[in-house]
Amino acid sequence: IVKTERGEKSTIILPDGTNVILNSSSRLKYSNDYGKKNRSVDLEGEAYFDVTRDTKKEFIVHTNNLDIKVIGTSFNISSYTDTKDITIVLLKGKVKIQSAELSYIMSPGEKIKYNKNTKKIIKEDVFPTDYITWTKGDLYFEKESLENIMKTLSRIYDVEIRFDSNKLPNEYFTGTIPGGGIQNALNILMLTSPFYYEMDGSVIVLKEK
């Protein structure tokens, strides 16, 4: 088991040469005999996978709600327990996502959002490299709620963020936030979002402008 705490990232090379970058507050689990009979891992959180091709043994990522099956490919999965969606972005190759309710084969450049409550998927064509900027310290969001963005920032910078407003969590933001600390990230978001922030001890509180 490889775990990252809030504010950490980790790079793992699996026995078959598959490269995995694990984002903050994430957990990757694989067996001691990985690669001998199968190539199967369990993921909680977010990870970028660059999978070594092996036509005899497919690579499977198990999440709480979906299985993602591949032969050799590059893709990103975000499957945190505190978010309502599982998001998968395919950079190259093909992956098959599977649950009790559905089965779908993705193509490169596609983003899939699987809603854990409705059990349905939303498909979208994207620039997939935008969604792995976190591996280099930057963050990209597309039509993302401030609620989910603050959850991401909390994990990455290991801070507590609260809303002093019912309206702000449902504001949306699209853009790239370069690395540089939590204050830098909040200052960029404030340019287009109607909030300001104050410190309450060690807690950051967001308030409506």
Side-chain angles (χ1 to χ4, degrees):
I1 297 174
V2 182
K3 289 176 70 175
T4 52
E5 303 298 332
R6 287 159 64 97
E8 293 181 343
K9 287 200 286 276
S10 181
T11 299
I12 306 117
I13 307 294
L14 296 176
D16 64 344
T18 290
N19 187 286
V20 186
I21 304 176
L22 204 58
N23 208 346
S24 304
S25 297
S26 300
R27 180 177 179 269
L28 187 78
K29 178 181 172 185
Y30 58 98
S31 66
N32 290 332
D33 61 355
Y34 170 94
K36 292 178 182 175
K37 291 184 179 178
N38 59 50
R39 301 190 296 164
S40 175
V41 301
D42 294 316
L43 173 69
E44 290 177 21
E46 183 169 18
Y48 167 69
F49 294 86
D50 192 355
V51 180
T52 298
R53 186 172 179 83
D54 184 341
T55 55
K56 295 177 182 175
K57 300 188 194 82
E58 65 183 356
F59 182 87
I60 304 173
V61 182
H62 300 289
T63 71
N64 285 336
N65 303 77
L66 287 178
D67 290 342
I68 297 92
K69 301 182 179 183
V70 309
I71 293 173
T73 191
S74 301
F75 60 102
N76 194 83
I77 304 175
S78 181
S79 178
Y80 285 102
T81 54
D82 62 350
T83 58
K84 70 179 190 299
D85 294 315
I86 295 174
T87 303
I88 304 158
V89 177
L90 181 60
L91 283 82
K92 63 182 180 182
K94 282 194 174 181
V95 305
K96 181 180 185 180
I97 62 174
Q98 206 160 11
S99 71
E101 297 80 21
L102 62 88
S103 176
Y104 180 75
I105 296 176
M106 293 180 66
S107 298
E110 249 185 344
K111 179 177 83 169
I112 291 292
K113 267 193 174 184
Y114 171 84
N115 187 292
K116 298 175 190 174
N117 298 321
T118 65
K119 314 291 187 190
K120 293 182 179 177
I121 61 174
I122 296 173
K123 296 175 281 188
E124 190 179 352
D125 291 327
V126 297
F127 293 106
T129 51
D130 289 340
Y131 291 85
I132 59 166
T133 55
W134 65 265
T135 63
K136 297 178 173 61
D138 297 335
L139 295 170
Y140 176 77
F141 299 102
E142 185 169 353
K143 298 185 289 254
E144 193 60 77
S145 68
L146 278 185
E147 180 179 22
N148 285 341
I149 290 172
M150 294 309 160
K151 284 179 183 177
T152 299
L153 294 178
S154 293
R155 285 191 292 262
I156 288 172
Y157 293 113
D158 191 16
V159 294
E160 186 177 349
I161 303 173
R162 293 180 189 159
F163 287 95
D164 186 21
S165 158
N166 293 324
K167 177 186 172 185
L168 285 177
N170 298 312
E171 292 286 333
Y172 286 82
F173 172 82
T174 294
T176 299
I177 301 175
I182 184 64
Q183 286 186 303
N184 180 61
L186 291 173
N187 289 338
I188 289 170
L189 286 166
M190 281 192 335
L191 295 174
T192 58
S193 303
F195 75 88
Y196 66 99
Y197 65 93
E198 294 179 352
M199 296 297 297
D200 182 5
S202 61
V203 179
I204 296 170
V205 181
L206 305 190
K207 301 186 175 186
E208 284 184 49
K209 283 182 179 174

